[in-house]
Amino acid sequence: MPKVPQTSPATGLPTSSSYIYTLDCHFVDSAGRTLLLRGVNLSGASKAPVGHLSYLLEDFWDSAEAGGESFVGRPLNIDDGSADVHLARLRGWGFNMLRFPFTWEAIEHAGPKKYDYEFIDYTIRVLQKCKDYGFRVYLDPHQDTWSRFSGGSGAPYWTLAACGINPKHITDTQAAIIHCEYPLAHAPDPAALPAMIWSTNYGRLFSQTVFTLFFAGRDFAPDCIIDGVNIQDYLQDHYIGACGVLADRIREYDNGSLLDDCIIGWDNMNEPFEGLCGWDDLNTIPARQGSTLKKGPSPTPAQGLRLGMGKAQTVDHWTFGMFGPSRDGTVTIDPKGRKLWSDGEEEVDGVHPKWGWKRDTTKWTLGTCIWAQHGVWDIETGYIVRPDYFKYHPLTGQEVDFITDYWKPHFVAYTQRIRSAHPEAIIFVQPPVFAKPPKFEEDDDCLQGRCAYSAHYYDGLTLVTRHWNWFNADALGLLRGKYSSPLQAVKVGSGAIRKSLQEQLALLQSDADILGPYPTIIGEIGTPFDMDGKKSYGWTDKGKFKGDYRNQEKALDASLNGCDGSNGLNYTIWTFCPDDHSHQWGDGWNMEDLSLWSPDDVWNDVQQQPGPLAPPKLRGTPAISSPSLDTLATTGSIGSLSTLGLKRFGHSLARNSPPNPYDFLTNGARAVRAFARPYPSKVVGKPLDVKFDIGKGLFRMVVTVGPEDRPEKGLATEVYIPLVHYAHPRLLVQGKASTPSTNKRPQLRRRKTSKLSNDARSTNSSTLSLSESIRERAQPSEDLEMANRSSDTEQGCIESGSSTSLLCDPSIPGPLSLSPPSPTPLLVDVEVKVSSGTWRVDGQTLFWWYDVPAEGEPPREYTIEVKRQGGVIKSTDVNRRRKGKKPRKLEEQDEKSWCERVCEPESVCVVM
């Protein structure tokens, strides 16, 4: 790892101790440790105002036309205490990073440049709460297929009218599928919406048009002038301006205290779409259009243009099965003369009475397809005059490249605006899905050494079919031309599928090399929970599989395992919906169901929302910087809240607290064993290989460390040890956890050690520094393997000599003093093996110290293994606990399919 500079690469100013660098393809802290940032998207529910889930048609259009509604309350309610509970849950799951979606609509719904400062200020309060819990955050201006009013999320309602579109006729013309109007606006049945069909909107006229206008209107729609500028500039200026207003307000809050300490950066537009830019032939749907899913009625762009003018069309109908999309017939769509294009009756001389813009109607004729006005096709005959109109620049005749010609200029403008408010912002570069980013030259003055590549990845077959299959396919490899035949991309068996997912994620990670030596974060990754007819909800088989998330666990573990290994990827899982989720409607948006937690999965009478919690008073608080899992314990069960650390933050937890941390972290969670997984959050050196075998509960990591990696005194590699996998037996007692016995006198635990170094000396002093205790008291040989078993009161404490032992202060990493600490019950029960060094566990964090080579010495590799002393906690045990049954015997095995029995996880089965 290169030496960490003392000044910012972006501004040249001195950096703080909390500063995160983007160096040598990694996130790095100010001490030079490699960071892994892993977390969740908070939250998918932020796509709509509170109470306006996508299936609700009542007041959908009326409220939009009146100026929309406030998004106050998204993503958390910070006035009733529930935000504290949800954030504590996320921290207990080991997450240290949040991707924070917000929408353009939430900021500017009332009209052009009419900003909702109440929502902005509420957002800042939520961000402050996230900071109180120790999260790092990057903000995500989120969109899907442009807007809620075109079947997705993102832009305000008035942007549709600005583009000359009549939203009320979107469903009639099949220009987009809107959940609350599916399948017909006059006879909606939103519960019948097929899985993922919302994403086919990218292949329909609305998205094709609006995204072309947003990114390339100056070139392809030069006659669309509004308020004296082209529609491209009008839309981009408002979008960037809204994000800039939020950034400015955050900078002004408390002298910018949220910046860098909490908010480390900004994503650009979520999953941007190229529209029609670069399209070869409007009469066909090109196979290379990776973001266009063929499912249900699938009009070509030419058919979409005709439908938009009210003309009936017979289009291909597609289904998506176990082996991908296949054409299964045709269907006729008849808009009955209704047009997508607004006739503009409300505008007087181009001036809109509600939204205030002035449209240049001398060239822009409302009520007529804008692409016909630009000579692309003939309305009367339906003939496509220029099928390759969007392939070439209309003036130069050169073939266009969407990423370089259109996406990049917008990205640069957005970045410059964000950096004017947040100069040290890490900009998360997110081109269209599966598209490679552009190259930035040094004179672009855009990345400024503060950048990360933000790709998205889903196991598409599982996502669309809602089934964990015994086979899969290398979708990214197919798209990138890796195979000469689609059959070669088929992977059979668990081992082959997991290997393929890891290879695909490695391929995405390699795209970051185009940008430079910057880290990669997978901004979205996840799996659906409503698999197989929602059998996990008890909706099939007479409720036999209610609460059984084993297939979801396999699917999610396979995806997240792809981020491990040699990839060592950062990620934020999609998604955590704290309040709106239900088994019937999923995440409350287009029938998606990917939330890691659901109130419908709470299995007992434990109240998940305790009374109000006073905001933590963190400034000047020593030792701990955020509430930890100890704050979840109940008085009288595993120790009082004040004893476990909550009191130091001025908290008081009301009567409805959870019975114990294990129950708290598993109750309501789905496939929790897959996402609450061990990982190295801070590494002295670099992680070479990270493995977690969920079936064996075995974590193994190899690190490499060189002379340049020497940290500040006493700093260790830190590994998250999830209670979900390694819970102390005390916490698994049915009902409330048993009260642990605590020792009045600390116990001295002996361990296998090498002889102390020649200059090691014994001491009876009352305190010993971290550096002294590690360097002088316990220096094992490099190839020494040490196995340590936990006691009830301390773990992994370093032995200082024959007459005294160093005790572990429960609130501070590392051995600190010889004075007895207050007894703290253990959360986890682990056996740890290290090839060299010393370790200790505090809460859910394992601290590991090892020697760093001196200058001139070669790098060294160290290995650590962690497993649970009491055996693996199975996913079925979680389900049995949910049903009030005793855990099953450890030797009982999970059910396996015939393919899984043939192709064990470590094998590689491939159909060639």
Side-chain angles (χ1 to χ4, degrees):
M1 184 68 63
K3 187 174 179 60
V4 174
Q6 300 301 309
T7 58
S8 160
T11 65
L13 298 175
T15 57
S16 68
S17 60
S18 61
Y19 196 80
I20 290 181
Y21 296 85
T22 53
L23 294 171
D24 198 29
C25 304
H26 295 280
F27 293 105
V28 181
D29 69 10
S30 60
R33 290 181 295 182
T34 301
L35 304 179
L36 265 188
L37 301 176
R38 290 186 165 179
V40 71
N41 281 260
L42 181 70
S43 149
S46 294
K47 295 180 180 184
V50 175
H52 280 258
L53 307 184
S54 66
Y55 67 89
L56 297 171
L57 181 56
E58 184 180 0
D59 200 34
F60 181 71
W61 297 113
D62 292 342
S63 63
E65 291 172 341
E69 296 186 53
S70 174
F71 281 61
V72 167
R74 297 298 188 199
L76 296 169
N77 187 325
I78 54 175
D79 295 319
D80 67 355
S82 62
D84 291 270
V85 177
H86 291 307
L87 290 172
R89 177 180 290 114
L90 295 177
R91 286 295 283 174
W93 287 339
F95 294 144
N96 58 12
M97 181 72 157
L98 298 175
R99 184 171 182 249
F100 195 95
F102 68 93
T103 64
W104 178 9
E105 178 192 1
I107 297 173
E108 205 175 359
H109 58 82
K113 294 191 176 180
K114 295 181 179 179
Y115 303 118
D116 189 339
Y117 286 103
E118 181 185 3
F119 167 75
I120 292 173
D121 291 342
Y122 182 85
T123 298
I124 291 171
R125 292 176 62 201
V126 177
L127 290 168
Q128 177 62 55
K129 183 70 71 173
C130 295
K131 179 184 177 181
D132 292 344
Y133 279 80
F135 286 105
R136 300 299 186 130
V137 174
Y138 68 111
L139 288 125
D140 160 41
H142 203 88
Q143 76 79 36
D144 307 274
T145 69
W146 188 257
S147 170
R148 282 199 299 138
F149 310 101
S150 54
S153 65
Y157 174 84
W158 54 263
T159 62
L160 282 68
C163 292
I165 288 171
N166 181 354
K168 298 289 187 69
H169 290 170
I170 289 176
T171 297
D172 294 324
T173 58
Q174 288 279 288
I177 291 176
I178 302 174
H179 186 193
C180 60
E181 290 190 339
Y182 183 84
L184 301 170
H186 63 277
D189 181 15
L193 187 79
M196 290 301 295
I197 201 168
W198 70 265
S199 64
T200 67
N201 287 342
Y202 284 118
R204 299 174 187 272
L205 178 60
F206 181 91
S207 286
Q208 291 168 346
T209 293
V210 176
F211 280 98
T212 304
L213 295 179
F214 182 88
F215 284 109
R218 286 199 301 267
D219 288 345
F220 296 115
D223 292 342
C224 293
I225 305 298
I226 185 169
D227 277 353
V229 298
N230 184 268
I231 187 64
Q232 173 185 336
D233 299 306
Y234 183 82
L235 294 173
Q236 287 199 27
D237 289 349
H238 281 283
Y239 171 80
I240 294 174
C243 295
V245 166
L246 175 60
D248 288 343
R249 199 79 162 187
I250 292 173
R251 177 195 59 200
E252 295 163 0
Y253 170 76
D254 195 20
N255 296 316
S257 64
L258 288 174
L259 300 181
D260 306 325
D261 286 349
C262 175
I263 302 170
I264 65 170
W266 298 67
D267 224 336
N268 59 283
M269 176 184 285
N270 177 72
E271 297 185 356
F273 176 55
E274 60 265 36
L276 292 169
C277 298
W279 207 286
D280 293 329
D281 184 353
L282 296 178
N283 293 300
T284 63
I285 301 175
R288 67 174 179 82
Q289 207 74 10
S291 57
T292 301
L293 172 68
K294 293 177 181 177
K295 186 173 184 178
S298 301
T300 65
Q303 291 172 324
L305 292 171
R306 299 176 195 125
L307 286 167
M309 284 302 293
K311 298 177 179 290
Q313 297 286 292
T314 298
V315 307
D316 288 343
H317 190 277
W318 290 72
T319 186
F320 197 101
M322 297 286 286
F323 298 96
S326 60
R327 182 179 175 275
D328 65 349
T330 60
V331 62
T332 298
I333 303 170
D334 186 2
K336 300 186 183 302
R338 298 183 182 90
K339 298 182 295 184
L340 176 67
W341 308 101
S342 172
D343 56 21
E345 289 183 353
E346 68 277 13
E347 294 188 9
V348 179
D349 294 329
V351 177
H352 197 285
K354 171 71 176 176
W355 310 119
W357 59 65
K358 180 173 176 58
R359 194 188 311 270
D360 184 354
T361 56
T362 61
K363 294 183 178 180
W364 189 349
T365 304
L366 293 178
T368 301
C369 175
I370 62 170
W371 304 124
Q373 293 181 58
H374 286 86
V376 178
W377 70 294
D378 180 72
I379 293 176
E380 185 175 349
T381 64
Y383 178 70
I384 305 300
V385 179
R386 302 178 62 183
D388 60 356
Y389 176 76
F390 298 98
K391 184 176 182 179
Y392 302 100
H393 192 286
L395 297 181
T396 67
Q398 294 183 340
E399 189 169 340
V400 302
D401 179 84
F402 173 76
I403 299 294
T404 301
D405 297 336
Y406 302 116
W407 178 86
K408 182 179 176 181
H410 169 259
F411 172 84
V412 171
Y414 170 82
T415 297
Q416 290 173 343
R417 178 62 183 90
I418 293 300
R419 285 246 172 88
S420 70
H422 186 180
E424 302 288 3
I426 298 172
I427 301 299
F428 291 79
V429 182
Q430 184 186 169
V433 176
F434 286 171
K436 296 181 180 181
K439 186 174 180 59
F440 288 84
E441 304 298 336
E442 290 184 7
D443 56 3
D444 282 335
D445 194 32
C446 179
L447 303 184
Q448 296 183 339
R450 304 287 291 153
C451 163
Y453 178 49
S454 178
H456 290 183
Y457 183 83
Y458 290 95
D459 169 8
L461 184 64
T462 302
L463 187 65
V464 178
T465 63
R466 296 296 198 266
H467 178 71
W468 175 241
N469 300 279
W470 51 268
F471 66 93
N472 210 304
D474 181 357
L476 183 58
L478 273 174
L479 193 64
R480 297 283 179 89
K482 181 179 178 180
Y483 306 99
S484 58
S485 166
L487 187 60
Q488 293 177 312
V490 177
K491 313 295 179 182
V492 177
S494 174
I497 293 171
R498 291 166 69 87
K499 183 174 183 291
S500 175
L501 295 180
Q502 198 163 82
E503 289 173 347
Q504 291 178 66
L505 284 157
L507 183 57
L508 280 178
Q509 186 177 35
S510 70
D511 290 346
D513 295 340
I514 300 171
L515 299 171
Y518 294 112
T520 299
I521 188 167
I522 305 301
E524 290 185 20
I525 190 169
T527 201
F529 289 95
D530 56 341
M531 290 181 179
D532 304 314
K534 302 190 177 184
K535 75 174 187 179
S536 301
Y537 303 160
W539 289 18
T540 66
D541 306 279
K542 298 181 180 180
K544 175 182 176 182
F545 296 100
K546 184 176 182 181
D548 185 346
Y549 285 103
R550 279 179 290 177
N551 283 338
Q552 292 89 333
E553 181 182 286
K554 293 174 185 176
L556 186 55
D557 175 56
S559 287
L560 298 184
N561 173 76
C563 296
D564 286 338
S566 60
N567 290 339
L569 283 165
N570 309 274
Y571 57 70
T572 45
I573 300 170
W574 187 269
T575 175
F576 179 78
C577 296
D579 299 310
D580 287 329
H581 189 276
S582 69
H583 285 172
Q584 181 177 6
W585 298 107
D587 301 338
W589 185 82
N590 281 324
M591 302 302 290
E592 282 203 346
D593 195 345
L594 287 89
S595 179
L596 302 181
W597 183 86
S598 172
D600 279 3
D601 280 291
V602 174
W603 70 75
N604 57 34
D605 60 356
V606 171
Q607 296 294 317
Q608 294 292 321
Q609 296 185 4
L613 303 177
K617 298 179 180 179
L618 297 177
R619 290 188 178 87
T621 304
I624 285 185
S625 59
S626 62
S628 61
L629 187 59
D630 354 355
T631 68
L632 308 177
T634 346
T635 303
S637 59
I638 68 167
S640 71
L641 291 169
S642 58
T643 300
L644 294 182
L646 196 57
K647 184 177 180 180
R648 74 187 64 167
F649 298 104
H651 280 290
S652 61
L653 189 59
R655 58 186 176 278
N656 294 324
S657 54
N660 72 48
Y662 182 83
D663 280 351
F664 181 78
L665 295 182
T666 56
N667 199 358
R670 293 111 67 83
V672 64
R673 292 178 357 118
F675 64 79
R677 54 199 301 116
Y679 73 95
S681 59
K682 302 174 183 178
V683 178
V684 176
K686 295 179 184 177
L688 285 183
D689 189 36
V690 178
K691 286 188 173 68
F692 177 57
D693 187 322
I694 194 171
K696 298 177 180 178
L698 177 64
F699 170 77
R700 186 177 190 274
M701 178 177 67
V702 180
V703 300
T704 179
V705 57
E708 69 280 3
D709 299 315
R710 185 170 299 278
E712 297 176 7
K713 290 183 178 181
L715 289 181
T717 286
E718 299 181 18
V719 181
Y720 166 65
I721 304 296
L723 180 147
V724 166
H725 287 281
Y726 302 99
H728 193 282
R730 177 182 65 255
L731 302 180
L732 301 180
V733 176
Q734 198 65 38
K736 289 190 175 182
S738 61
T739 304
S741 61
T742 56
N743 299 314
K744 294 181 180 180
R745 295 177 61 89
Q747 293 183 356
L748 169 65
R749 281 194 299 112
R750 303 289 183 180
R751 62 166 60 172
K752 297 177 182 178
T753 61
S754 63
K755 293 181 179 180
L756 298 179
S757 58
N758 292 333
D759 60 349
R761 52 189 170 80
S762 61
T763 179
N764 292 320
S765 61
S766 60
T767 61
L768 210 57
S769 72
L770 285 169
S771 57
E772 289 177 324
S773 65
I774 297 166
R775 184 177 64 251
E776 298 185 338
R777 301 301 177 195
Q779 293 185 346
S781 62
E782 293 176 21
D783 59 351
L784 176 68
E785 180 183 274
M786 296 186 300
N788 301 273
R789 178 161 183 160
S790 63
S791 71
D792 274 349
T793 56
E794 55 177 328
Q795 290 181 311
C797 298
I798 298 173
E799 185 176 303
S800 66
S802 58
S803 60
T804 60
S805 69
L806 289 171
L807 306 181
C808 299
D809 185 303
S811 67
I812 303 174
L816 287 181
S817 76
L818 295 174
S819 58
S822 56
T824 301
L826 296 178
L827 294 176
V828 298
D829 181 26
V830 294
E831 178 181 309
V832 179
K833 296 180 180 180
V834 297
S835 63
S836 183
T838 56
W839 62 271
R840 60 157 296 189
V841 173
D842 176 26
Q844 292 187 105
T845 302
L846 183 149
F847 298 89
W848 179 25
W849 295 267
Y850 39 78
D851 288 337
V852 176
E855 289 294 333
E857 293 182 348
R860 302 176 188 175
E861 289 186 9
Y862 298 127
T863 302
I864 185 170
E865 290 185 359
V866 182
K867 65 180 181 180
R868 185 171 182 270
Q869 282 284 350
V872 177
I873 304 172
K874 299 285 188 179
S875 58
T876 47
D877 293 335
V878 177
N879 190 36
R880 292 175 69 85
R881 190 172 180 83
R882 177 193 309 266
K883 295 178 180 179
K885 300 178 180 179
K886 294 180 179 180
R888 65 178 189 162
K889 294 181 180 179
L890 292 177
E891 61 267 21
E892 294 181 27
Q893 300 296 313
D894 288 338
E895 298 176 7
K896 293 184 178 180
S897 68
W898 65 269
C899 181
E900 290 172 313
R901 288 193 294 270
V902 174
C903 297
E904 293 295 335
E906 297 303 320
S907 68
V908 178
C909 301
V910 177
V911 174
M912 298 297 290

